Amino acid sequence: MSYVDEKLESFHNLCRQKGLKITPQRTEIYKALLESKEHPSAEMVFEKIRHLLPNISFDTVNRTLNTLNDMGAAFIVEGSGDVRRFDANLENHQHFKCINCKKIFDFSHKTFDNIAVPENLLGNFKVLRAVVYIEGLCKSCQEIII
Amino acid sequence: MSYVDEKLESFHNLCRQKGLKITPQRTEIYKALLESKEHPSAEMVFEKIRHLLPNISFDTVNRTLNTLNDMGAAFIVEGSGDVRRFDANLENHQHFKCINCKKIFDFSHKTFDNIAVPENLLGNFKVLRAVVYIEGLCKSCQEIII
DNA sequence: CTCTGTGCAAACACTTTGCAGCTAA
DNA sequence: TTAGCTGCAAAGTGTTTGCACAGAG
């Protein structure tokens, strides 16, 4: 079974477990997100799958992406301002975001996986996600802007 | 000279340096942001200063906050989704954001200041900001949601 | 058969823009 | 005086909601 098929199967299991129905839309949206490396926005996912499901509405895409985020099958990429971007890759990895072209680049730096959350926080807060996130200019934007 | 006055003076210097005019609106908006600990949104800043400048428009507040961000006197707080929140505290510190009530709590953890950016990133990207950001539930929201 | 999900449209919330008059330098 | 700034209004952009019908379980 391929990687995507495996992921799809556990996604379907997660749906069942949460009492959510497995619809072609949900499946395609999840698959599109899984296969994309660009951390797409709702709009980008919509464009990606409208040829597969010609009748799908943008709202369904948007709503479903929120559902994926709520159920934990994907998450909204951290960032400052701008449109929501989604990521179905739950493996430990970090993001570099170009503040000019808004492209998001994955990178993986062991030290940033499971960074130690300070003790005094743990007492008062329930930590759900500790994220290291880097912002700057990507190669091509550095050249353009100077 | 008080802390706020000092900050205000260097803000005014920064304005002059960038060729931006020092207007009462700009000053009050910057001051409100500086004195606030809640990482306010444009709306929150607007509410905070409208009694000082009764004729100020929301747009000026919003526009000015963007200007502060552009000129480097403040920045947009990282997060996932939601309204833009601003911070004029440029000192090293980290944020914990409650995903339920959206409150942002500052904390300071030496290890997270100036975290070492991986070498292979530095070659390809111009790093402007490396952020550690923690998301979860604050004490009161943990109790309510359960 | 039942109950959730979808598509459509409209509403919302937040942010940006254009412009005329105003004001800091 | 003259650039840049402000206030107002309007337009944009992205996201959410309400509802009837369709479709998964």
Side-chain angles (χ1 to χ4, degrees), chain A residues 32-144:
Chain A
L33 192 56
L34 195 65
E35 290 173 337
S36 166
K37 298 206 178 311
E38 54 184 0
H39 312 79
S41 62
E43 184 62 39
M44 290 154 102
V45 173
F46 180 55
E47 289 306 328
K48 236 170 158 39
I49 62 169
R50 64 189 312 181
H51 67 101
L52 295 169
L53 301 163
N55 290 317
I56 198 169
S57 71
F58 173 77
D59 313 72
T60 299
V61 176
N62 200 51
R63 193 163 2 197
T64 302
L65 288 169
N66 284 338
T67 308
L68 296 183
N69 180 60
D70 293 345
M71 69 195 279
F75 61 93
I76 299 173
V77 177
E78 71 288 344
S80 26
D82 306 318
V83 219
R84 282 189 185 160
R85 304 279 289 266
F86 296 84
D87 193 345
N89 175 9
L90 305 175
E91 307 294 310
N92 263 324
H93 69 286
Q94 288 76 38
H95 294 135
F96 176 95
K97 184 166 178 186
C98 177
I99 58 164
N100 185 244
C101 67
K102 315 292 186 196
K103 276 205 191 75
I104 295 169
F105 301 85
D106 284 333
F107 69 94
S108 185
H109 191 55
K110 289 280 164 293
T111 332
F112 295 167
D113 300 343
N114 307 308
I115 48 163
V117 175
E119 286 297 328
N120 56 324
L121 267 187
L122 292 172
N124 294 304
F125 301 99
K126 180 170 173 56
V127 172
L128 296 174
R129 215 151 71 88
V131 179
V132 178
Y133 153 76
I134 297 180
E135 230 177 44
L137 290 171
C138 72
K139 203 146 201 172
S140 31
C141 287
Q142 283 176 64
E143 286 159 12
I144 297 163

Side-chain angles (χ1 to χ4, degrees), chain B residues 16-58:
Chain B
R16 277 185 273 266
Q17 189 185 314
K18 302 248 176 191
L20 299 170
K21 296 192 171 158
I22 296 163
T23 62
Q25 292 89 336
R26 250 174 213 165
T27 302
E28 283 309 327
I29 289 166
Y30 178 72
K31 208 157 78 180
L33 192 57
L34 194 64
E35 289 173 338
S36 166
K37 297 203 179 312
E38 52 183 1
H39 312 80
S41 62
E43 184 61 40
M44 289 154 102
V45 173
F46 180 54
E47 288 306 327
K48 235 169 158 41
I49 62 169
R50 63 190 312 181
H51 67 101
L52 295 170
L53 300 163
N55 289 319
I56 197 168
S57 72
F58 174 78

Side-chain angles (χ1 to χ4, degrees), chain B residues 84-108:
Chain B
R84 281 189 185 160
R85 304 278 289 266
F86 296 84
D87 192 345
N89 175 8
L90 304 176
E91 307 293 312
N92 263 324
H93 69 285
Q94 289 78 38
H95 294 135
F96 176 95
K97 183 167 179 184
C98 176
I99 58 164
N100 185 244
C101 67
K102 314 291 185 197
K103 277 203 190 77
I104 295 168
F105 301 86
D106 283 334
F107 69 93
S108 186

Side-chain angles (χ1 to χ4, degrees), chain A residues 20-21 23 25-26 56 59-60 63:
Chain A
L20 300 170
K21 296 190 173 162
T23 63
Q25 292 87 338
R26 251 175 213 167
I56 198 169
D59 313 72
T60 299
R63 193 163 2 197

